[in-house]
Amino acid sequence: MKPKNVVAGAHGMTGQAWKKHANPWSVWTRFAAIPAFELAVWSREWIGWWSLAGVALVAAWLWLNVHLFSPVEPTNWAARGIYGEQLHVEGKAPAAHRVVLRLLIVAGLIGFALIALGLIALEIWPLVLGTTLTVLAQLWRIDRYGLLYEQHQSQTM
């Protein structure tokens, strides 16, 4: 099973869950979890092991997030992007989209590695650079997924 299918399955991504996941409030609050997670890990210097409580709260939020918001139709940028992500997970992305999406995933992973370096070493420059790279790659992926969704819609009509 492909990693993207494993992640989708772990979150219980049914058709209804995808529609909830596409809610713009869900999308933007997942982005807000990035600095919250970073602060929770960085706080280990101030509060020690209690920082794990913050990490656990962020992890619980990310798991719950998929299910808390009301379902939406693809009427805005964020929702179209998530609907496109669903098409990708279902294997309906053309080769040209898959190549670009893989490159953006690599960029996001590099950003994630920089975040990890910054949090381990408590260095601000890799943390900020990694966060910026991760967020930009994710925004670009959502945009690309939106294009995939629109292309798919125009071909099925």
Side-chain angles (χ1 to χ4, degrees), residues 34-35 38 111-112 114-115 126-137:
I34 297 169
E38 293 169 349
F112 185 78
L114 286 167
I115 290 170
L127 181 64
V128 171
L129 179 60
T131 302
T132 302
L133 185 57
T134 299
V135 168
L136 288 175

Side-chain angles (χ1 to χ4, degrees), residues 6-21:
V6 171
V7 172
H11 284 282
M13 296 304 287
T14 63
Q16 189 69 0
W18 278 107
K19 288 183 176 188
K20 290 180 176 187
H21 187 56

Side-chain angles (χ1 to χ4, degrees), residues 133-152:
L133 185 57
T134 299
V135 168
L136 288 175
Q138 184 61 17
L139 288 170
W140 197 349
R141 280 181 62 220
I142 291 171
D143 190 62
R144 191 68 188 196
Y145 282 139
L147 293 173
L148 170 62
Y149 175 78
E150 290 170 354
Q151 181 183 24
H152 184 266

Side-chain angles (χ1 to χ4, degrees), residues 40-117:
V41 173
W42 195 283
S43 72
R44 74 184 187 273
E45 283 296 301
W46 311 309
I47 59 175
W49 287 102
W50 284 104
S51 64
L52 293 178
V55 171
L57 282 173
V58 172
W61 169 251
L62 289 172
W63 187 85
L64 284 171
N65 178 288
V66 177
H67 308 286
L68 290 179
F69 295 96
S70 60
V72 298
E73 294 301 318
T75 57
N76 63 65
W77 178 83
R80 283 190 299 275
I82 302 306
Y83 273 67
E85 180 182 14
Q86 181 182 9
L87 292 171
H88 182 222
V89 169
E90 292 172 352
K92 297 177 182 173
H97 281 281
R98 288 193 309 267
V99 169
V100 174
L101 291 168
R102 284 184 189 127
L103 291 172
L104 292 172
I105 289 169
V106 169
L109 289 173
I110 292 168
F112 185 78
L114 286 167
I115 290 170
L117 173 66

